[in-house]
Each structure stands twice: as C-alpha cells, then as structure tokens.
Amino acid sequence: MKNKGRTLLPLTERLDLASRSRAVSPEAAAKLVQRFSDIRAQWLFFGNADVEILSGLTGRFWEHPAVDMSTYRGFCHSFRLAVNYDNDFFPPPYIPKRSDNAYEPVWGVTTNNAMVMLGLMLLDHARGQLIPRDFYHCMRMTLRQYLDALVDLSFRKDGTQDPFRSNTWQFWREVFLKDYDGSKPLAEALTDILKRYLTAWQEFHRLDHILRCTDDLSCYLENERIGDPAEADLPDPGSENVAPGVLRSQFFLSERDYRPEALRALAEKSSSAELRELLEKYISEERLAYAMREINMAVTDLYLLWVEPYLQMEEYHYERHL
C-alpha cells in the first residue's frame, strides 16, 4: 500500500518491526544506552504509589547534591548512597562486602528492597506498554549487546579510554555471560534475575508468614497450606498478563533476623508444640543460607547492570566506531 509516495506496511509487519531490537551495530547499542541514561527519572515511576514506595527506601537521598532527578544516571546515585548508608563506605565498583552472617542481605534490607523495586519498575517499562519508549528500546537489545555497550561507554569525555573502568566492565561482562544467556533480550535477562530473587525470597516469606500467625495458630493450621518450595505458585514477573505496578513491595525482604538460632529462639517462646514443629520443618541452615546467597546474587546483578554503569557515565564519543 502506498500513501503519498510512501510504502505502508501491513499492521502485522509494522508491529514486528517495532518489536525488533534497534541495536543493529555497536554504535547503535551505545546510543540506546546513552539515551536510556538521559531519560528523566520521574518517567520511571508508574504513578504516585511507586514514588511513595521508593521514597520510603531511598527518598532521604533524593535531595543530596550527588543526585540529579532530571536523568536516570543522576537518579542512580541515590542507590549508591543507599549502599553507603547501609554499610561503611567502600570504593567503586561498590561490590558487596563479605558478611559473616550467611542469613542476612549483604547490602542491608533497605538497599535490597530498593534494588528489587528498581528491577520491577524497569520490567514494567520493558514490556513496551509505558512511555517513554526509550526504556523499552534499550531492553530489546541482547544482554551481550548491552554488556558490550557498557564496555564501550567506559571512556572519558575526551574520547580516551579509562583503563580501570574498561577492564572492570570487561571482567563483569565475562561473569554475566557465564551466568546468563547473552543471546536473550535484556528484558528476559532482567526477568530471569527477578525470578531468581523471588524463588529465594519465598523461603523467608514462608517463615515470616508462620511467625505472623502465632497469635492464631489453630486458624492458620486449618486454613493455610505450606507446600514445598518447588511446588510454590510464584508469579511470573515477565508475564504479559501482569499489569504495571502490581508486583512491588509485597516481595520485599523483612527486617527479621533469619539466623536459624534466632528463629528457633522465637519458636521456643511459644507454648504451642504445633508451632515449634512447623517452624522446625522450615528452618534449614543449608536451605536458608542458599536462599540468601541467591538473593544477594540477584540484587548484586541488578545493581551492576542498572546502577553502577550509570554512576560515572559521560558523553559517549561515537566516532570510535567510525
């Protein structure tokens, strides 16, 4: 079909073209990431509820001189400040410190939940249902293209390479490509990371639920069923049927002390043998340590992919690819 000399494609073909990645070259991929970094931070939020939730986690830093809410890259500094607030300051690339407690989030609960919130908001945009579309177009490139773009963007304003940043991101590129399929769209990689988090989070959510029911244990035992973790009906964060803004703070980690000895101490305070038996069933040192390790890995991956690269991002010199 032609319209004033232009060829108009059928709707199905136009939709197919719109869904394809625009990262047709290293230069194009770098431009998409640069455009992503320049998006106004306010456009990331889906309504006032998102603002209120994240404000409760990182809002104390939004007025900090290092934070610029006019761009996504400037907004990322609020997450770095949250990391520093939850921990003693440590230098770039802000890698979590080792903890002697295998049952606590390595960056603290506030940072953990802030990163999960960021991942869920980005995933809403990755479905292409929200504006601006710059989030969506960036998420259509493959994970490998995105990682390559991050390596390419590790340059100073004058176009010369920053060896430390470039080598750092080259290292993390190899790490990510060992854990995730580099040929998948970035949106699917984000979904995989969030699924990894949610599967592990469920271990602690189950314990929280049992402990919340201590005041009415009999009702709990009669009306609730706790299945094996492998049988749990977890939401699919990547499902097209999940409306924007639905998956949010219900998947945050609580401030509870999850050390097995602390959980058993709570059980011992109850006069209910049923409660003690129920808790003992789900207090497993090995399983809880593994779940927290998975949570820490997922949160660290979110930070390294969608926060750390933007903390020092400068203007990109596209002539490098010419």
Side-chain angles (χ1 to χ4, degrees):
M1 181 185 299
K2 291 185 178 293
N3 181 13
K4 296 182 179 180
R6 295 182 302 166
T7 300
L8 299 180
L9 297 174
L11 178 60
T12 54
E13 292 187 32
R14 279 184 282 162
L15 291 174
D16 179 61
L17 285 173
S19 66
R20 294 179 187 175
S21 171
R22 295 185 177 182
V24 295
S25 67
E27 178 186 12
K31 285 182 178 179
L32 286 171
V33 174
Q34 188 72 53
R35 193 174 301 149
F36 181 99
S37 74
D38 290 334
I39 298 173
R40 293 188 64 83
Q42 291 89 335
W43 291 344
L44 177 64
F45 298 96
F46 182 73
N48 292 332
D50 278 4
V51 176
E52 292 175 4
I53 293 173
L54 199 55
S55 176
L57 298 169
T58 64
R60 72 185 73 187
F61 309 114
W62 291 358
E63 299 298 326
H64 191 281
V67 177
D68 179 8
M69 297 293 286
S70 67
T71 64
Y72 177 79
R73 66 174 182 271
F75 176 57
C76 283
H77 285 271
S78 64
F79 295 96
R80 185 205 65 181
L81 292 167
V83 169
N84 292 341
Y85 184 84
D86 275 357
N87 306 267
D88 294 332
F89 177 81
F90 50 99
Y94 307 104
I95 307 305
K97 298 179 296 183
R98 292 188 61 181
S99 172
D100 294 331
N101 184 354
Y103 309 101
E104 68 176 3
V106 72
W107 268 336
V109 173
T110 298
T111 302
N112 177 93
N113 294 340
M115 290 312 309
V116 172
M117 182 66 181
L118 176 63
L120 292 170
M121 291 193 299
L122 287 172
L123 190 59
D124 279 349
H125 283 275
R127 297 189 183 97
Q129 301 173 358
L130 305 176
I131 56 174
R133 301 272 288 180
D134 296 287
F135 288 105
Y136 171 74
H137 292 310
C138 186
M139 291 290 187
R140 294 303 302 166
M141 74 173 77
T142 66
L143 174 61
R144 180 176 284 105
Q145 287 176 312
Y146 181 69
L147 292 171
D148 288 343
L150 295 182
V151 174
D152 285 342
L153 286 164
S154 297
F155 286 77
R156 299 189 181 97
K157 280 187 175 181
D158 60 3
T160 60
Q161 189 175 27
D162 182 332
F164 174 77
R165 290 175 63 193
S166 181
N167 291 338
T168 297
W169 284 109
Q170 187 63 45
F171 168 78
W172 284 114
R173 176 188 182 278
E174 301 305 319
V175 171
F176 278 113
L177 292 179
K178 287 181 180 178
D179 288 344
Y180 301 100
D181 184 352
S183 65
K184 281 187 174 182
L186 188 57
E188 291 186 24
L190 173 57
T191 299
D192 289 343
I193 293 171
L194 289 172
K195 284 182 178 178
R196 183 179 189 177
Y197 171 87
L198 290 176
T199 300
W201 163 87
Q202 190 184 32
E203 289 286 344
F204 303 99
H205 173 67
R206 182 177 293 108
L207 289 169
D208 287 338
H209 190 54
I210 296 172
L211 292 168
R212 283 195 300 267
C213 293
T214 55
D215 292 336
D216 194 0
L217 180 61
S218 60
C219 178
Y220 172 75
L221 292 175
E222 291 174 4
N223 297 293
E224 295 288 344
R225 175 183 176 274
I226 301 180
D228 185 89
E231 300 175 354
D233 185 18
L234 283 174
D236 180 0
S239 173
E240 295 293 334
N241 297 323
V242 177
V246 171
L247 303 181
R248 289 294 188 263
S249 58
Q250 65 265 42
F251 300 114
F252 287 175
L253 201 62
S254 78
E255 297 277 358
R256 189 182 302 281
D257 185 347
Y258 289 111
R259 290 174 300 166
E261 58 268 29
L263 295 172
R264 292 192 177 102
L266 290 175
E268 290 173 1
K269 293 179 181 179
S270 173
S271 59
S272 169
E274 290 90 345
L275 173 62
R276 291 194 297 271
E277 181 180 348
L278 193 59
L279 276 173
E280 283 293 338
K281 179 180 178 181
Y282 291 102
I283 298 175
S284 164
E285 287 88 346
E286 182 178 351
R287 204 160 73 185
L288 289 175
Y290 174 78
M292 187 58 75
R293 186 163 59 250
E294 286 291 288
I295 282 177
N296 288 333
M297 288 298 297
V299 170
T300 302
D301 288 348
L302 290 171
Y303 186 92
L304 287 172
L305 284 173
W306 285 285
V307 174
E308 171 63 22
Y310 299 93
L311 295 179
Q312 302 181 48
M313 189 171 289
E314 303 288 357
E315 181 180 355
Y316 181 65
H317 287 253
Y318 300 106
E319 62 270 16
R320 176 174 178 270
H321 288 295
L322 299 179

